[in-house]
Coordinates of all heavy atoms in Angstrom, one line a residue:
S38 N -8.3 -14.1 21.6 CA -7.0 -13.6 22.1 C -7.3 -12.5 23.2 O -8.3 -11.8 23.1 CB -6.2 -13.1 21.0 OG -5.3 -12.1 21.5
E67 N 6.0 14.5 5.1 CA 6.8 15.6 4.7 C 7.6 16.2 5.9 O 8.3 17.2 5.7 CB 5.9 16.7 4.2 CG 5.1 16.3 2.9 CD 3.9 15.4 3.2 OE1 3.3 15.4 4.3 OE2 3.7 14.5 2.3
N77 N -8.9 7.7 23.4 CA -9.2 6.4 24.0 C -8.1 5.4 23.7 O -8.4 4.2 23.5 CB -10.5 5.9 23.4 CG -11.6 6.8 23.6 OD1 -11.8 7.4 24.7 ND2 -12.5 7.0 22.6
A148 N -1.9 -8.8 2.7 CA -1.1 -9.0 1.5 C 0.2 -8.2 1.5 O 0.3 -7.1 2.1 CB -1.9 -8.6 0.3
H230 N -5.5 6.2 3.5 CA -6.1 5.8 2.3 C -7.5 6.3 2.3 O -8.4 5.8 1.5 CB -6.0 4.3 2.1 CG -6.2 3.8 0.6 ND1 -7.4 3.8 0.0 CD2 -5.3 3.4 -0.3 CE1 -7.3 3.3 -1.2 NE2 -6.0 3.1 -1.4

Side-chain angles (χ1 to χ4, degrees):
S38 151
E67 297 73 32
N77 305 320
H230 201 282

